[in-house]
């Protein structure tokens, strides 16, 4: 069977490098409710996904139901997400923000002024929210009784989504996904057993049940364009004490027809049977509905999440049932999931004790199979990202807080040996270029970029998305090696580096390209078996 997961895909003009989607997952790590350094590190590590869909990002204070979730309704939050998208884009990734309003799945302690959460109904779910417990420790607490939104208020909530979408655009996201699944506000309108309204947003007719969802879709697509808006749905879900609804199929088929007419970026279905022990009947219901929706949606791409394996995802794509496959928990403990799939590397099992809340443990400390140091998000790699941003902002030269540095140290990895090297780089102001010193240790020890430059002494090197002029120094002769080494050692920046001061900056952890062919000792291409 051809492994089509690694095929590219045109998502409404956004070219995805593969068909593996990182599914949205609440991690509850943003202690200020704005993305921070850990958030940046977490998503940067997983930029190899064809598409990342972020954790749910509340569209308003009112829409919050979990502590430590980074929203998209303040300037600080938007700026934080800008750092995330910049980091993902630097690594060639694509990223959508998931826009979230939990509705009744909240607690008064999380609401503005301690008010009741809002919903389609005034009936409590009997489920939980993630808030401060009576002893002040974060944890699960009973969700508070909600109040039903007044008819005139519904448009305001739709506008909250549209505003958050505009903020996502300002933050650099490629698009947004509406979280219309798994017990939250949209589903509280869609489920006829929860929705007890008597107005035009009630459950009496299918048109009324889907009205709120469609009004939000229309408000958001008016801001971003339909090709940048996806939606996530969970038909037949009972997550969060949602009751079974015998009108589910009617509701979602009607909704599918309307969504197809709106030509969205995608429809993302989640099979929630993965959360229910041995519930094969739920899986059959979801997949049965999926097979009916697929032709109705026409050219709208379909994503499926929930219990997929590499094999099952490949089969569903091959049969044309879905276009993209979303994986959640595997991405938690395997930041390089695509590479592991491609190379047949066993997957690491995630620790459920670290799914929600906490710090680095279980969040950014799962190493990829190929580069453990980078996965741990070292201080140097964080600094690398900031240096890259300075390069981009200053046309390929050091600027801003790095303007005083006259020498850099490239932290590199040998093309075949995997050994790490530190290569000094001196900026020659008069020549407007960087002088690279590569050690004379044979083909295995040279960093990959040195091989690529040897054929052309005056060349360029990619720093983030910026092309920087460099000059590759030929160091095959021992005397020249020693001479240049002494020159570098006499550079004041190198002395500062040895003393641990700040004139010299550790910059890029450069990776050898996947198709790199090492040079042999005579400077030709080494033969490969």
């Amino acid at each position: 069977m051809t492994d089509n997961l690694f095929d590219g895909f045109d998502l409404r003009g956004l070219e995805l490098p593969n068909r593996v989607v990182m599914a949205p997952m609440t991690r509850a790590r943003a202690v200020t409710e704005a993305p921070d350094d850990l958030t940046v590190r977490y998503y940067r590590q997983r930029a190899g996904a064809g598409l990342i869909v972020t954790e749910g990002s509340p569209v308003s204070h009112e829409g919050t139901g979990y502590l430590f979730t980074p929203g998209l309704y303040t300037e600080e939050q938007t700026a934080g997400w800008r750092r995330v998208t910049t980091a993902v884009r630097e690594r060639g990734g694509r990223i959508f923000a998931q826009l979230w309003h939990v509705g009744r799945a909240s607690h008064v302690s999380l609401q503005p002024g301690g008010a009741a959460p809002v919903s389609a109904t005034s009936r409590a779910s009997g489920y939980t929210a993630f808030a401060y417990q009576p002893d002040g420790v974060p944890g699960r607490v009973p969700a508070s009784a909600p109040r039903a939104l007044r008819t005139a208020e519904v448009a305001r909530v739709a506008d909250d989504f549209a505003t958050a979408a505009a903020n996502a655009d300002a933050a650099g996201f490629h698009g947004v996904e509406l979280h219309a699944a798994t017990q939250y506000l949209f589903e509280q309108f869609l489920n006829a057993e929860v929705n007890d309204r008597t107005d035009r947003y009630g459950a009496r007719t299918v048109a009324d049940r889907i009205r709120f969802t469609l009004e939000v879709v229309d408000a958001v697509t008016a801001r971003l364009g339909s090709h940048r808006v996806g939606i996530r749905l969970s038909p037949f879900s009972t997550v969060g004490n949602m009751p079974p609804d015998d009108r589910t199929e009617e509701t979602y088929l009607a909704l599918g027809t309307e969504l197809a007419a709106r030509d969205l970026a995608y429809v993302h279905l989640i099979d929630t049977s993965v959360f229910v022990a041995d519930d094969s009947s739920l899986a059959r219901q979801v997949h049965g509905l999926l097979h009916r929706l697929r032709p109705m949606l026409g050219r709208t791409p379909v994503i499926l999440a929930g219990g997929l394996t590499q094999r099952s995802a490949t089969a569903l794509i091959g049969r044309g049932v879905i276009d993209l496959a979303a994986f959640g928990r595997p991405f938690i403990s395997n930041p390089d999931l695509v590479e592991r799939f491609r190379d047949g590397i066993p997957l690491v099992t995630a620790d459920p004790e670290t799914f929600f809340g906490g710090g680095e443990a279980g969040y950014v400390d799962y190493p990829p199979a190929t580069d453990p140091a980078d996965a741990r998000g070292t201080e140097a790699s964080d600094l690398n990202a900031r240096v890259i941003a300075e390069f981009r902002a200053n046309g390929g030269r050091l600027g801003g807080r790095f303007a005083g540095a006259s020498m850099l140290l490239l932290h590199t990895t040998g093309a075949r040996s995997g050994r790490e090297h530190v290569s000094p780089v001196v900026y020659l102001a008069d020549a407007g270029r960087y002088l690279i010193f590569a050690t004379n240790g044979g083909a295995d020890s040279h960093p990959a970029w040195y091989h690529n430059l040897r054929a052309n002494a005056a060349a360029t090197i990619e720093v983030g998305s910026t092309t920087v002029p460099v000059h590759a120094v030929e160091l095959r002769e021992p005397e020249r090696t020693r001479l240049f080494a002494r020159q570098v050692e006499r550079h004041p920046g190198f002395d500062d580096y040895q003393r641990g001061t700040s004139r010299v900056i550790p910059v890029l952890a450069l990776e050898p390209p996947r198709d790199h062919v090492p040079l042999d000792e005579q400077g030709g291409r080494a033969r490969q078996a």
Side-chain angles (χ1 to χ4, degrees):
M1 181 183 298
T2 302
D3 210 330
N4 43 40
L5 280 176
F6 312 124
D7 294 342
F9 186 77
D10 182 352
L11 187 71
R12 289 288 190 266
L14 178 63
E15 295 296 329
L16 308 185
N18 57 71
R19 298 187 184 220
V20 179
V21 176
M22 177 177 164
M25 292 173 286
T26 299
R27 304 305 309 278
R29 294 303 208 284
V31 293
T32 66
E33 297 183 348
D36 55 20
D37 289 348
L38 284 183
T39 320
V40 173
R41 192 184 304 175
Y42 174 72
Y43 286 107
R44 181 179 64 228
Q45 290 171 352
R46 290 155 180 80
L51 176 67
I52 293 174
V53 183
T54 71
E55 61 207 281
S57 189
V59 299
S60 62
H61 190 172
E62 173 193 84
T64 303
Y66 292 73
L67 287 170
F68 316 136
T69 50
L72 262 169
Y73 55 91
T74 71
E75 291 183 4
E76 180 187 10
Q77 291 167 341
T78 303
W81 280 118
R82 165 61 73 175
R83 292 182 57 212
V84 171
T85 63
T86 297
V88 170
R89 286 173 179 264
E90 292 283 4
R91 292 197 59 195
R94 286 83 170 151
I95 184 167
F96 272 42
Q98 190 188 65
L99 305 185
W100 191 23
H101 192 305
V102 302
R104 68 177 182 173
S106 187
H107 187 266
V108 291
S109 65
L110 301 172
Q111 292 294 306
V118 299
S119 176
T121 180
S122 60
R123 291 180 293 171
S125 67
Y127 199 57
T128 61
F130 185 71
Y132 287 111
Q133 301 173 103
D135 60 2
V137 176
R140 293 285 181 176
V141 299
S144 300
R147 71 170 180 85
L149 283 162
R150 296 183 293 274
T151 303
E153 288 184 285
V154 175
R156 186 262 301 165
V157 176
D159 189 62
D160 286 343
F161 276 93
T163 300
N167 290 340
D169 185 43
F173 284 100
H174 292 93
V176 301
E177 175 181 284
L178 303 179
H179 191 352
T182 54
Q183 76 161 313
Y184 301 117
L185 184 59
F186 288 94
E187 206 166 74
Q188 292 158 30
F189 281 91
L190 292 169
N191 188 305
E193 297 301 317
V194 172
N195 186 345
D196 56 359
R197 305 175 70 90
T198 58
D199 63 2
R200 61 196 182 99
Y201 296 102
R204 185 177 57 84
T205 69
V206 67
D208 288 347
R209 293 196 295 277
I210 67 176
R211 191 183 310 280
F212 170 71
T213 300
L214 295 178
E215 287 185 359
V216 175
V217 168
D218 292 343
V220 173
T221 57
R223 295 287 183 99
L224 297 188
S226 61
H227 65 292
R228 297 180 62 199
V229 180
I231 187 169
R232 195 179 211 211
L233 305 170
S234 58
F236 303 106
S237 173
T238 57
V239 171
N241 281 355
M242 293 297 285
D245 176 12
D246 60 10
R247 284 170 279 187
T248 294
E249 189 163 304
E250 175 192 37
T251 299
Y252 283 89
L253 290 176
L255 182 59
T257 299
E258 292 290 339
L259 294 176
R262 285 160 171 79
D263 205 26
L264 299 181
Y266 60 79
V267 170
H268 181 179
L269 297 180
I270 176 171
D271 174 6
T272 58
S273 65
V274 68
F275 303 124
V276 183
D278 301 322
D279 195 341
S280 58
S281 62
L282 176 55
R284 287 194 298 271
Q285 285 180 304
V286 174
H287 283 260
L289 181 61
L290 170 60
H291 280 78
R292 295 189 64 184
L293 282 172
R294 171 72 273 188
M296 293 174 56
L297 290 171
R299 66 175 191 168
T300 302
V302 173
I303 303 174
L304 179 64
L308 292 176
T309 64
Q310 182 178 0
R311 183 179 182 85
S312 64
T314 299
L316 288 167
I317 292 172
R319 297 202 303 269
V321 178
I322 63 174
D323 300 290
L324 303 166
F327 298 85
R329 293 182 182 184
F331 261 113
I332 290 178
S333 49
N334 301 276
D336 57 342
L337 183 64
V338 176
E339 288 74 16
R340 287 177 183 264
F341 279 163
R342 181 183 287 119
D343 298 335
I345 300 173
L347 301 187
V348 174
T349 301
D351 176 10
E353 295 299 317
T354 60
F355 282 176
F356 305 104
E360 294 187 10
Y363 189 49
V364 295
D365 62 345
Y366 286 107
T370 53
D371 186 6
D374 183 62
R376 292 185 177 91
T378 62
E379 182 178 349
S381 67
D382 284 342
L383 184 57
N384 290 346
R386 295 198 293 272
V387 174
I388 290 173
E390 292 291 349
F391 268 84
R392 296 185 68 189
N394 292 280
R397 297 192 181 192
L398 289 176
R401 64 189 293 266
F402 306 110
S406 56
M407 190 174 84
L408 312 178
L409 295 183
L410 293 183
H411 287 241
T412 61
T413 303
R416 285 192 293 175
S417 68
R419 294 194 297 271
E420 292 188 358
H421 305 274
V422 177
S423 300
V425 180
V426 180
Y427 180 64
L428 305 178
D430 56 339
R433 66 190 182 192
Y434 292 85
L435 194 65
I436 296 179
F437 168 58
T439 58
N440 183 24
D444 277 358
S445 64
H446 284 312
W449 49 259
Y450 178 67
H451 296 303
N452 295 337
L453 292 173
R454 282 207 45 209
N456 180 6
T460 61
I461 185 170
E462 292 293 325
V463 181
S465 61
T466 301
T467 300
V468 178
V470 299
H471 184 81
V473 180
E474 179 63 63
L475 296 173
R476 307 300 285 176
E477 301 163 11
E479 182 55 37
R480 292 187 64 204
T481 300
R482 287 193 292 271
L483 175 63
F484 190 79
R486 286 196 296 272
Q487 292 173 341
V488 169
E489 288 168 359
R490 288 198 297 268
H491 190 285
F494 192 72
D495 290 338
D496 291 338
Y497 174 76
Q498 290 180 312
R499 290 195 299 266
T501 55
S502 60
R503 283 290 302 280
V504 176
I505 304 168
V507 187
L508 302 171
L510 297 177
E511 292 291 335
R514 297 185 67 88
D515 58 354
H516 171 66
V517 179
L519 302 180
D520 62 21
E521 287 301 313
Q522 286 69 47
R525 289 184 176 273
R527 295 185 179 181
Q528 294 185 324

